[in-house]
């Protein structure tokens, strides 16, 4: 049962907040909660109709897609359903960077600049409008409600973004306090900070945990080692995202926190692609996102075969993501979920994982702590960080121009500030970042035994 305060937040305060931001999140969430029970055939028909409208809109108002259709000899009528998307080219980070202005709709409302965390080694800058944000928030909202958690219920968020206290951040902190969402920054994992995080969780007694599986796994191990019980706090669900969830993490977090885990898959760029329901189904955000699985030649694969996830987000008419290559590997399912929802599912996800790294003094920190240093530097296109030992970390860098001494020194000083002043930082300019033997890319690798 939701508390009176939760009902006030989810029914009045949050809808007012969204209305003031010109987001129609509430209406979208309500529609999603009806459509999720439709049959796969009904969902497919509705998706095709929405795709047709989306294609007509972007072909009329987005210069890049006007040119694409013209050069391919296509009209919007040639795209009737998801299977017809093969007629259009893929979109990747480089294409977006090269055609940034041409990807903006000529009837777009206010757009905000966003960039990805850079865990893929190549940060992406793109634009988000109210349409896209409304759909993404609604998708996440629907998924948390599957677990009987609503906006206004107490939530602890473990996230990698550094907290700064500018005017916008102060507004955000005030809003989070009103909505009972508390952020713990997932960077420097000292023993003292881990103990503080555990104390915060015990004191707050949240209904939901949200964040990186690696962080909650580390918190669980720390609590267990210290003999601190966390399975009696009434936590309903740990919602984990942004990294690959390993079976040992699921078991460990679930046991120590005394709650089930819900895996969420997606990203800032691609949107919320799939969420796990209490029956264990990894349901696609099918009404908003068309998912294709492709082989190495770019050809679509049927259910049951592993390939790269490619997404077309139907809420991005102001800055379109059409056939966007995520670089992640997954398998589509052809099964129906026991929960009764008609939403199609992913059978498995082989997403990227960012490791923890260890400072010279033993402090553990999220790999994103180092990624942020490189992500915020102009001219860096890709990178790979390998922690060879506590004394040596190698950084391979692909840059637009020649890597200057000042850039190398900036990387070196930033890494030393995190890892220790006596640690050797070996910055190496390279032409490209090679894949692992498995064919997957890993951009933060620690060889230090933790």
């Amino acid at each position: 049962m939701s508390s009176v305060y939760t009902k006030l937040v989810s029914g009045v305060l949050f809808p007012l907040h969204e209305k003031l931001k010109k987001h129609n999140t509430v209406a979208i969430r309500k529609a999603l909660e009806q459509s999720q029970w439709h049959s796969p055939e009904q969902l497919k028909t509705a998706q095709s109709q929405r795709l047709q409208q989306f294609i007509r809109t972007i072909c009329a108002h987005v210069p890049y897609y006007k040119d694409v259709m013209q050069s391919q000899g296509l009209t919007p009528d040639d795209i009737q359903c998801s299977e017809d998307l093969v007629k259009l080219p893929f979109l990747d980070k480089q294409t977006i960077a090269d055609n940034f202005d041409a990807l903006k709709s000529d009837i777009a409302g206010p757009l905000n600049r966003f960039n990805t965390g850079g865990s893929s080694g190549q940060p992406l800058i793109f634009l988000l409008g109210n349409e896209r944000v409304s759909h993404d928030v609604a998708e996440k909202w629907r998924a948390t409600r599957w677990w009987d958690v609503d906006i206004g219920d107490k939530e602890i968020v473990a996230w990698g973004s550094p907290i700064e206290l500018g005017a916008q951040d102060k507004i955000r902190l005030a809003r989070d306090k009103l909505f009972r969402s508390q952020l713990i920054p997932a960077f420097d994992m000292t023993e003292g900070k881990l103990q503080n995080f555990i104390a915060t969780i015990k004191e707050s007694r949240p209904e939901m945990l949200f964040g990186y599986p690696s962080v909650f796994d580390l918190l669980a191990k720390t609590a267990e080692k210290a003999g601190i019980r966390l399975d009696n706090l009434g936590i309903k669900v740990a919602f984990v995202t942004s990294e690959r969830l390993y079976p040992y993490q699921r078991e460990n977090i679930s046991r120590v926190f005394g709650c089930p885990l819900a895996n969420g898959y997606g990203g800032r760029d691609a949107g919320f692609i799939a969420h796990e329901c209490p029956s264990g189904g990894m349901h696609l955000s099918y009404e908003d996102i068309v998912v294709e699985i492709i082989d190495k030649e770019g050809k679509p694969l049927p259910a049951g075969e592993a390939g790269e996830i490619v997404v077309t987000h139907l809420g991005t008419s102001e800055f379109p993501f059409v056939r966007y290559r995520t670089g992640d590997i997954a398998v589509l399912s052809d099964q129906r979920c026991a929960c009764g929802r008609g939403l199609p599912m992913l059978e498995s996800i082989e997403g990227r994982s960012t490791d923890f790294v260890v400072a010279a003094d033993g402090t553990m920190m999220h790999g994103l702590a180092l990624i942020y240093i490189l992500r915020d530097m102009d001219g860096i296109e890709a990178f790979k960080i390998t922690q060879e030992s506590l004394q040596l970390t190698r950084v391979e860098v692909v840059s637009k121009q020649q890597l200057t001494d000042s850039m190398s020194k900036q990387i070196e000083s930033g890494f030393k500030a995190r890892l220790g002043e006596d640690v050797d930082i070996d910055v190496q300019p390279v032409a490209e970042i090679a894949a692992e033997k498995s064919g997957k890319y890993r951009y933060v690798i620690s060889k230090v035994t933790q």
Side-chain angles (χ1 to χ4, degrees), residues 252-318:
N252 194 40
I253 297 167
S254 182
R255 177 172 44 78
V256 174
F257 286 99
C259 67
L261 249 69
N263 195 12
Y265 169 62
R268 273 188 175 182
D269 48 0
F272 292 111
I273 296 169
H275 294 98
E276 185 176 357
C277 79
S279 296
M282 197 68 184
H283 292 284
L284 294 173
S285 301
Y286 190 78
E287 300 95 332
D288 285 332
I289 299 177
V290 180
V291 172
E292 300 171 78
I293 304 289
I294 61 165
D295 63 17
K296 287 180 180 176
E297 282 72 49
K299 292 174 183 169
L301 290 168
E305 293 190 36
E308 183 182 355
I309 295 180
V310 171
V311 302
T312 298
H313 196 310
L314 302 177
T316 61
S317 64
E318 295 175 307

Side-chain angles (χ1 to χ4, degrees), residues 229-240:
R229 277 194 68 184
L230 297 172
D231 61 354
N232 57 355
L233 303 177
I235 298 170
K236 290 181 179 178
V237 63
F239 218 109
V240 295

Side-chain angles (χ1 to χ4, degrees), residues 32 34 43 100 160 168 181 218 221 223-224 309 335 394:
L32 290 174
Q34 289 184 329
L43 284 161
F100 190 84
Q168 281 298 107
S181 178
L218 185 58
K221 286 174 182 169
E224 196 164 47
I309 295 180
Q335 303 296 307
R394 299 189 194 281

Side-chain angles (χ1 to χ4, degrees), residues 188-241:
D188 300 338
M189 295 286 140
T190 62
E191 187 68 27
K193 283 188 179 177
L194 286 167
Q195 294 290 350
N196 287 340
F197 291 166
I198 290 165
T200 299
I201 292 168
K202 277 181 70 74
E203 185 186 350
S204 175
R205 301 180 73 91
E207 274 87 0
M208 183 170 87
L209 305 174
F210 184 90
Y212 304 130
S214 55
V215 172
F216 288 120
D217 181 54
L218 185 58
L219 286 167
K221 286 174 182 169
T222 305
E224 196 164 47
K225 193 175 174 183
I228 300 168
R229 277 194 68 184
L230 297 172
D231 61 354
N232 57 355
L233 303 177
I235 298 170
K236 290 181 179 178
V237 63
F239 218 109
V240 295
T241 188

Side-chain angles (χ1 to χ4, degrees), residues 133-165:
V133 174
S134 299
H135 281 277
D136 285 353
V137 172
E139 286 286 2
K140 183 192 168 191
W141 193 4
R142 168 172 73 173
T144 56
R145 281 166 60 94
W146 292 347
W147 297 87
D148 193 29
V149 175
D150 213 330
I151 292 169
D153 282 326
K154 287 184 184 176
E155 172 188 48
I156 294 279
V157 179
W159 209 243
S161 299
I163 302 173
E164 295 157 6
L165 288 177

Side-chain angles (χ1 to χ4, degrees), residues 224-405:
E224 196 164 47
K225 193 175 174 183
I228 300 168
R229 277 194 68 184
L230 297 172
D231 61 354
N232 57 355
L233 303 177
I235 298 170
K236 290 181 179 178
V237 63
F239 218 109
V240 295
T241 188
S242 288
E243 294 175 341
R244 182 179 175 186
L245 172 64
Y246 293 96
Y248 73 87
Q249 292 173 324
R250 182 188 285 273
E251 190 280 327
N252 194 40
I253 297 167
S254 182
R255 177 172 44 78
V256 174
F257 286 99
C259 67
L261 249 69
N263 195 12
Y265 169 62
R268 273 188 175 182
D269 48 0
F272 292 111
I273 296 169
H275 294 98
E276 185 176 357
C277 79
S279 296
M282 197 68 184
H283 292 284
L284 294 173
S285 301
Y286 190 78
E287 300 95 332
D288 285 332
I289 299 177
V290 180
V291 172
E292 300 171 78
I293 304 289
I294 61 165
D295 63 17
K296 287 180 180 176
E297 282 72 49
K299 292 174 183 169
L301 290 168
E305 293 190 36
E308 183 182 355
I309 295 180
V310 171
V311 302
T312 298
H313 196 310
L314 302 177
T316 61
S317 64
E318 295 175 307
F319 192 90
F321 276 70
V322 177
R323 306 201 80 204
Y324 175 68
R325 300 187 69 152
T326 65
D328 288 342
I329 307 299
V331 179
L332 280 173
S333 171
D334 58 3
Q335 303 296 307
R336 280 289 297 271
C337 185
C339 73
R341 293 177 180 86
L343 300 169
M345 299 183 291
L346 289 176
E347 188 178 294
S348 65
I349 305 164
E350 297 287 329
R352 299 186 183 97
S353 171
T354 19
D355 289 347
F356 277 95
V357 290
V358 187
D361 65 1
T363 298
M364 265 189 274
M365 66 187 77
H366 204 280
L368 283 166
L370 301 180
I371 285 170
Y372 270 104
I373 295 164
L374 294 162
R375 192 197 77 173
D376 291 336
M377 290 178 64
D378 287 333
I380 290 182
E381 293 187 325
F383 54 82
K384 183 175 183 178
I385 302 161
T386 307
Q387 185 175 34
E388 300 285 356
S389 66
L390 284 176
Q391 289 75 41
L392 174 65
T393 293
R394 299 189 194 281
V395 189
E396 295 170 72
V397 177
V398 179
S399 57
K400 287 178 185 174
Q401 289 85 31
Q402 189 176 356
L403 194 70
T404 63
D405 284 344

